[in-house]
Amino acid sequence: CPVNIPIKNRHLFITGGSSGIGLALAHRAASQGARVSLLARSLQKLEEARESIRLSSRSDVSIFAADVRDYDVVQKAVSDAGPIDVLVVNQGVFVPQELEKQGLDEVNFMLDVNLMGSFNVIKAALPLMKQRTDCLPASIALISSQAGQVGIYGYTAYSASKFGLRGLAEALQQEVVADNIHVSLVFPPDTDTPGFERENEVRPELTKILAGSSGSMKADEVAKKALDGIQSGSFIVPCNFEGHMLAIATAGLSPQRSFLMVAIERSAVKSANRGSAKGTSAEPMEGAHTLSDKTHVTLG
Ligand SMILES: NC(=O)C1=CN([C@@H]2O[C@H](COP(=O)(O)OP(=O)(O)OC[C@H]3O[C@@H](n4cnc5c(N)ncnc54)[C@H](OP(=O)(O)O)[C@@H]3O)[C@@H](O)[C@H]2O)C=CC1
Ligand SMILES: CCCCCCCCCCCCCCCC(=O)[C@@H](N)CO
């Protein structure tokens, strides 16, 4: 059943909060009365972010200069920040290029920051999140990408890092649900941020076309969708229409929050089965496991 995860007067910790989607999330959360902490590498960008939030919502945020690839530094920042109610693992780097041309150093860079860095942050924050005293639900939100739902030309390492977050999130949700901690995976399309500006200068043309087929959004629009999804405890958080289509097309066995989505998925599975079973006997296909007398799902 749906949950409500309040953020007013609660501690939101956002990695990559000094720019783009993370900064937009910080502005929104601060304006809704959350106590916000930001973590990123550049102290100067963090100070600029803190000032912009102070000016826009007259609230003071805590800033922590740290590289998510360094667990010890992350651990220190998280313990200095204090217990976290909503953790937003947002940091990310993206260097689009065909794998054949891309150096393995850049592959490692994306996997280290986007995936291993996310493990470091969650590992550092989880013990204190589990010890929180209020009985309110908590949230761990991972900012993925639509490239984490479908692999795209030029994004081999980037998509791998974002697909990895899916596995992390699904397994983690089972490990923390008993502590009333809800995991959310946010899937933005191309989003107008400083990172995207840099990316667009080097992105292969085909990557631009394929990624562009899902449209683009402003950082604040993504931040709104993300915050709404976090507060409702949604596991899958699409950000636009194409994202909703992708969420259905890639539902897998992720937890569903709404009966509507379950119904939509069931009908999508049934029509897929009807299509593949067309011209054969009505009997379930070899290897089909019958969930009910109406739905046959073939696993394998
Ligand atoms: N922009 C887009 O088109 C889309 C972005 N996304 C995802 O959204 C997230 C944010 O992207 P976006 O806002 O565009 O990115 P930006 O480049 O604008 O901001 C990235 C943020 O992450 C921080 N960061 C980068 N590397 C590290 C690191 N090693 N340790 C700590 N902090 C780090 C940066 O600060 P600093 O450099 O100072 O460390 C900055 O605050 C990413 O996960 C990205 O994959 C998903 C879909 C679309
Ligand atoms: C049934 C499906 C209908 C919709 C089809 C959608 C086709 C695939 C769209 C992939 C978009 C990838 C955006 C990556 C954004 C990103 O993460 C980079 N800008 C780096 O930050």
Side-chain angles (χ1 to χ4, degrees):
C1 57
V3 295
N4 169 39
I5 302 175
I7 63 168
K8 188 170 170 49
N9 301 323
R10 300 187 83 202
H11 185 199
L12 231 91
F13 190 97
I14 306 172
T15 65
S18 63
S19 171
I21 293 170
L23 179 56
L25 266 164
H27 272 283
R28 276 191 171 267
S31 66
Q32 290 181 31
R35 179 166 70 84
V36 175
S37 295
L38 308 178
L39 178 145
R41 290 168 301 180
S42 157
L43 184 58
Q44 183 193 340
K45 280 166 60 178
L46 282 164
E47 285 166 344
E48 289 163 5
R50 176 166 62 183
E51 190 53 26
S52 72
I53 294 169
R54 186 183 289 136
L55 289 174
S56 67
S57 53
R58 287 193 303 284
S59 64
D60 200 16
V61 306
S62 305
I63 58 176
F64 301 90
D67 188 320
V68 293
R69 292 172 288 183
D70 183 338
Y71 175 76
D72 294 337
V73 172
V74 168
Q75 215 282 332
K76 168 104 180 46
V78 165
S79 64
D80 290 350
I84 295 168
D85 299 307
V86 176
L87 174 67
V88 183
V89 187
N90 163 74
Q91 88 287 345
V93 290
F94 24 98
V95 188
Q97 191 175 29
E98 293 86 352
L99 180 58
E100 190 183 2
K101 299 175 189 167
Q102 187 150 53
L104 286 173
D105 54 333
E106 284 187 340
V107 170
N108 277 311
F109 175 54
M110 283 180 269
L111 293 173
D112 283 349
V113 174
N114 301 355
L115 184 56
M116 202 55 226
S118 300
F119 273 99
N120 287 341
V121 172
I122 294 167
K123 194 95 175 93
L126 201 47
L128 276 177
M129 288 186 81
K130 287 191 166 191
Q131 292 163 25
R132 70 192 188 283
T133 47
D134 69 14
C135 56
L136 293 169
S139 165
I140 296 175
L142 302 164
I143 307 297
S144 179
S145 159
Q146 288 181 0
Q149 294 175 292
V150 55
I152 295 289
Y153 180 100
Y155 282 151
T156 50
Y158 180 65
S159 279
S161 73
K162 293 299 189 178
F163 270 76
L165 292 183
R166 176 83 180 242
L168 195 178
E170 290 193 1
L172 180 67
Q173 178 61 90
Q174 294 176 18
E175 293 178 10
V176 300
V177 68
D179 299 281
N180 205 7
I181 297 173
H182 301 269
V183 177
S184 291
L185 262 176
V186 185
F187 296 101
D190 278 344
T191 308
D192 183 13
T193 69
F196 183 59
E197 273 169 45
R198 292 190 297 273
E199 173 195 29
N200 243 351
E201 287 157 17
V202 298
R203 205 153 67 153
E205 199 50 39
L206 189 48
T207 310
K208 224 175 254 183
I209 295 165
L210 290 171
S213 69
S214 181
S216 67
M217 294 175 74
K218 296 285 180 211
D220 183 55
E221 293 168 332
V222 169
K224 178 177 185 335
K225 292 287 184 184
L227 220 42
D228 290 350
I230 289 165
Q231 288 174 284
S232 60
S234 303
F235 183 78
I236 301 284
V237 183
C239 296
N240 63 358
F241 172 74
E242 292 84 352
H244 280 280
M245 295 299 104
L246 276 172
I248 293 167
T250 60
L253 294 179
S254 290
Q256 277 308 340
R257 195 59 77 203
S258 79
F259 295 110
L260 174 64
M261 275 304 289
V262 171
I264 292 173
E265 276 177 30
R266 274 173 73 99
S267 62
V269 166
K270 280 165 70 174
S271 57
N273 274 324
R274 253 199 309 280
S276 53
K278 199 171 283 175
T280 59
S281 76
E283 285 308 304
M285 286 176 284
E286 184 55 40
H289 297 254
T290 304
L291 295 179
S292 75
D293 58 352
K294 295 190 183 63
T295 306
H296 306 295
V297 178
T298 302
L299 304 174

